[in-house]
Amino acid sequence: MSDCLFCKIVAKEIPAEIVYETGRALAFRDVNPQAPTHVLVVPKAHHADAAALARADDGLADEVLKAAHEVAVREGVTEGGYRIVFNTGAGAGQTVFHVHAHVLGGRALTWPPG
Ligand code: 5GP
Ligand code: ZN
């Protein structure tokens, strides 16, 4: 989608600090990190939210989730615990409507989130 921020990052039209990439997924650091590790994992193909990703019937959700876990391993946060979050819908805080998993770790994470 031409007007989508994360499609532009996937297309390298907007710079981002990429930390991991697979054939169909890209992981890059959040520009406004909320934890020492705060990485966003997106499918390269545009899907608006987690519901749309779940409906993608070609293993794409699986690839995104595996990429999120691989990021956590590479960032060294698995032992201390980490969180994979899909804010889904404006009411849940989603502001960019290209689905993305937040991978958060490197500090104690409270529950429930706000
Ligand atoms: P959401 O609120 O949709 O769950 O998450 C969107 C995330 O994208 C936010 O954490 C925000 O900091 C991040 N973000 C917004 N614009 C950019 C950008 O241009 N580059 C990067 N790397 N992250 C961004
Ligand atoms: Zn997009």
Side-chain angles (χ1 to χ4, degrees):
M1 272 183 46
S2 58
D3 61 344
C4 170
L5 176 64
F6 289 172
C7 280
K8 287 179 178 160
I9 287 177
V10 168
K12 312 266 165 52
E13 291 168 21
I14 291 177
E17 188 181 343
I18 293 167
V19 298
Y20 183 61
E21 183 168 8
T22 70
R24 294 188 294 170
L26 187 72
F28 52 90
R29 295 199 191 282
D30 196 294
V31 77
N32 182 25
Q34 302 301 311
T37 289
H38 188 173
V39 172
L40 304 175
V41 184
V42 303
K44 292 179 181 177
H46 183 90
H47 295 278
D49 59 18
L53 178 61
R55 288 192 297 267
D57 61 357
D58 54 359
L60 189 58
D62 182 67
E63 187 161 333
V64 169
L65 182 58
K66 285 189 166 83
H69 176 66
E70 179 61 24
V71 165
V73 170
R74 288 172 180 231
E75 292 285 310
V77 298
T78 57
E79 199 161 318
Y82 63 102
R83 193 169 287 163
I84 298 173
V85 176
F86 291 92
N87 293 328
T88 306
Q94 187 176 4
T95 58
V96 178
F97 286 82
H98 178 135
V99 62
H100 48 283
H102 295 257
V103 180
L104 295 150
R107 66 167 170 81
L109 297 166
T110 59
W111 189 263

